[in-house]
Amino acid sequence: MNTQQAGQRSEATLDGTLEAIRPPVKWAYGAPVEAACSTGLNESAGTTTVTRSRNVLTVVSEQRRGHLLGLVQRYWEQQGFQAVSVGSDKDMPRIRARAAMDSPSHWTSEVSAMSPSARGSAAP
């Protein structure tokens, strides 16, 4: 799988994730990232990491954020992803997952949920 294919699969997974959330949420694209991996000694490791993300703009109550991230995690696991980190920040929790393929490209997807204080406004 090349980096373009990895990006496309990650985008499709994120689109499917957002379609699976009920009730629907408003969201925005996160900045796409493609980065060559190195050995830490400024030498190429021969792999590339591709990251795609979505930010949930709908204000989600503190009580419901864990449920939302749980829905995302279960959907991703059904798609062959494995959660690699869950950010428990009170104002902007997030979940990050990775699908490691037998190729020189590794890719990750991320969903972040904003709280009213992170967004600077209250729910309508």
Side-chain angles (χ1 to χ4, degrees), residues 7-22 24-25 27-30 52-55 72 75-76 79 81 107 109-111:
Q8 289 170 338
R9 180 153 183 231
S10 188
E11 293 284 352
T13 299
L14 288 166
D15 290 344
T17 302
L18 292 165
E19 290 172 11
I21 295 172
R22 294 290 175 249
V25 294
W27 56 273
Y29 289 100
R52 299 293 185 264
S53 63
R54 298 290 188 274
N55 298 310
V72 170
Y75 182 84
W76 284 353
Q79 303 304 310
F81 281 79
W107 41 288
S109 295
E110 183 172 319
V111 170

Side-chain angles (χ1 to χ4, degrees), residues 24-49:
V25 294
K26 291 184 180 184
W27 56 273
Y29 289 100
V33 177
E34 292 183 17
C37 299
S38 74
T39 63
L41 301 173
N42 206 22
E43 298 172 357
S44 174
T47 61
T48 301
T49 297

Side-chain angles (χ1 to χ4, degrees), residues 35-71:
C37 299
S38 74
T39 63
L41 301 173
N42 206 22
E43 298 172 357
S44 174
T47 61
T48 301
T49 297
V50 175
T51 302
R52 299 293 185 264
S53 63
R54 298 290 188 274
N55 298 310
V56 174
L57 301 177
T58 300
V59 176
V60 178
S61 71
E62 189 172 347
Q63 297 81 8
R64 302 288 294 163
R65 286 182 215 140
H67 177 72
L68 173 63
L69 295 180
L71 288 172

